[in-house]
Amino acid sequence: MLHFFHGFVQPTGVRFRQRWLPSLVLALGLVAGWMATPAAAASPPGPRVEAQAAVVMDAATGAVLWQRQAHRPVLVASTTKILTAIVANDRYAARKVLRVPEAAERVDGTRFGYRTGWLIRRDQLLTTLLLVSANDAAETLAAAWPDGGRAGFLRAMQAKAVELGCTDSTWRDPSGLDAPGHRASAADLAVLGRALLARPVLAKLVGSRVAPYVWPGGRRTVLGNHNHFVGQGRDPGALGVKTGYTTKAGATIVAAQRRNGRTLVAVVLGSKVMYDDVRALLGYGFKVRPKAGAELLGVVPDPPDEAADDAAAATLPPAADRVTGRVSGSPSPLVERLSLRILAAPLPVAALAGVACLLLGSLALIWRRR
């Protein structure tokens, strides 16, 4: 008698099949698209890098895209001046005048030519520090530190590095000479390179092919950037940052580049072909995206809040299931695998898979309404 009630339709085998048929067709379409994607298209081959230690980092997130011994502390030569510039920029006013100490005139390595007793503005010192890697500029900036002079400046360098999230470095020389105990890692230098780019005055300097300079007597000149990654102009989007060299450290570089709205920072330490290495790292980095679980550099943990910790303890998952300093995982391993396969496919394959899925879904809906 139920068939006399208006709108009531007794279930049948046909109706039942129509309910699950669209879902089945869509699932089969996704699986077919996944199987059609070549396994080799999931990710490009890693970069060919000669350096002893290297890393390429996504600047927006700090996520590591590729690394080799990234946390190994080694000699880093004049890439040290990245941190020297950050500390001086954050503490000294732009037009503050500093006196050149005798130690600056006698320092080893590259010197710009400052003489003991000369009065030089901070912005002029930063220009020679970053563009021509002037060790006498580094010594002048360090000696003027109001709390302890050069030794106080080195303590400030260490404190600033920790504040920015560095974990592997100890700083014993403002120029980057091979001082006992002076070490840093590729990971820490990537963090410092990103921090420098966040300071407009410094970012403008390291990204310039040339910069004007006025000597104390008023003579004007133009300085060329010693960093060929920027100075030669053959790398569009190059942002800097700094090169270095000593006999023991070898060639070192921190490089940054922006393409299609993304900024990457690459570090190469101990390389005979540092420009080739850094271009290989950046070329690879722009082809990939941060993977789930990738290490995040420069993540500074928040100070502990005992009250908040107690309140949240009941809702947190077990400690073994929590991840610190990593990119958050995908919601489902199956969904992640399917999406990576389809998105990493060559454009024609991915497009065909998408169109096939749409057509199958449309046919399924039409069949359901019959």
Side-chain angles (χ1 to χ4, degrees):
M1 298 295 293
L2 292 174
H3 63 278
F4 290 106
F5 290 94
H6 179 70
F8 182 88
V9 179
Q10 189 172 359
T12 65
V14 174
R15 289 285 184 182
F16 180 75
R17 285 195 299 272
Q18 288 178 353
R19 291 177 182 175
W20 53 260
L21 183 59
S23 299
L24 177 61
V25 172
L26 286 174
L28 291 174
L30 284 172
V31 172
W34 170 50
M35 295 299 291
T37 304
S43 62
R48 299 183 64 181
V49 175
E50 185 266 352
Q52 297 175 10
V55 69
V56 59
M57 177 189 79
D58 182 87
T61 63
V64 173
L65 303 173
W66 187 91
Q67 65 88 22
R68 173 186 293 161
Q69 299 192 84
H71 288 284
R72 179 188 175 193
V74 295
L75 295 169
V76 296
S78 285
T79 53
T80 298
K81 293 185 175 80
I82 296 172
L83 180 57
T84 301
I86 290 172
V87 173
N89 176 83
D90 291 0
R91 181 60 183 264
Y92 301 139
R95 300 189 67 81
K96 180 178 176 60
V97 176
L98 294 82
R99 184 179 298 274
V100 178
E102 183 180 353
E105 189 174 348
R106 295 187 291 105
V107 69
D108 288 338
T110 304
R111 294 190 297 270
F112 186 64
Y114 294 126
R115 296 290 182 260
T116 303
W118 282 8
L119 300 177
I120 313 294
R121 291 200 318 269
R122 184 216 75 172
D123 55 352
Q124 294 174 307
L125 290 166
L126 288 177
T127 299
T128 56
L129 178 81
L130 293 174
L131 263 69
V132 299
S133 201
N135 291 352
D136 45 358
E139 289 292 337
T140 301
L141 291 166
W145 194 253
D147 183 16
R150 188 180 190 273
F153 190 89
L154 292 173
R155 290 192 295 269
M157 289 175 67
Q158 189 68 46
K160 179 63 70 172
V162 172
E163 174 189 324
L164 294 172
C166 297
T167 59
D168 313 311
S169 36
T170 52
W171 308 92
R172 301 290 185 266
D173 189 275
S175 300
L177 297 175
D178 300 334
H182 186 86
R183 298 288 190 276
S185 68
D188 283 359
L189 285 172
V191 171
L192 296 179
R194 178 177 62 176
L196 184 145
L197 294 177
R199 289 156 169 81
V201 170
L202 303 181
K204 182 178 179 181
L205 281 174
V206 300
S208 300
R209 297 178 65 182
V210 296
Y213 185 83
V214 181
W215 287 86
R219 181 169 62 91
R220 296 178 179 273
T221 187
V222 175
L223 304 179
N225 196 331
H226 283 197
N227 180 2
H228 294 171
F229 185 67
V230 173
Q232 290 185 345
R234 56 173 283 195
D235 296 276
L239 304 176
V241 178
K242 187 73 183 72
T243 62
Y245 176 82
T246 67
T247 302
K248 292 182 178 180
T252 62
I253 184 172
V254 179
Q257 191 175 27
R258 186 166 182 81
R259 298 185 198 171
N260 300 321
R262 291 181 70 198
T263 299
L264 302 185
V265 179
V267 181
V268 167
L269 303 177
S271 172
K272 295 179 181 179
V273 287
M274 66 176 184
Y275 290 114
D276 291 341
D277 279 356
V278 85
R279 288 181 178 114
L281 284 172
L282 292 166
Y284 170 83
F286 283 115
K287 294 177 183 177
V288 300
R289 291 284 179 176
K291 296 180 181 178
E295 180 184 4
L296 301 181
L297 300 180
V299 176
V300 181
D302 294 329
D305 186 340
E306 295 181 1
D309 289 345
D310 292 341
T315 60
L316 287 175
D321 296 335
R322 299 200 295 269
V323 179
T324 302
R326 303 277 171 176
V327 175
S328 60
S330 300
S332 163
L334 177 60
V335 172
E336 179 187 8
R337 189 177 181 187
L338 288 173
S339 61
L340 285 176
R341 287 277 186 168
I342 293 175
L343 292 176
L347 182 59
V349 176
L352 286 174
V355 171
C357 291
L358 288 175
L359 289 175
L360 288 171
S362 300
L363 290 173
L365 291 175
I366 295 172
W367 174 260
R368 183 175 182 178
R369 292 176 179 175
R370 290 179 58 185

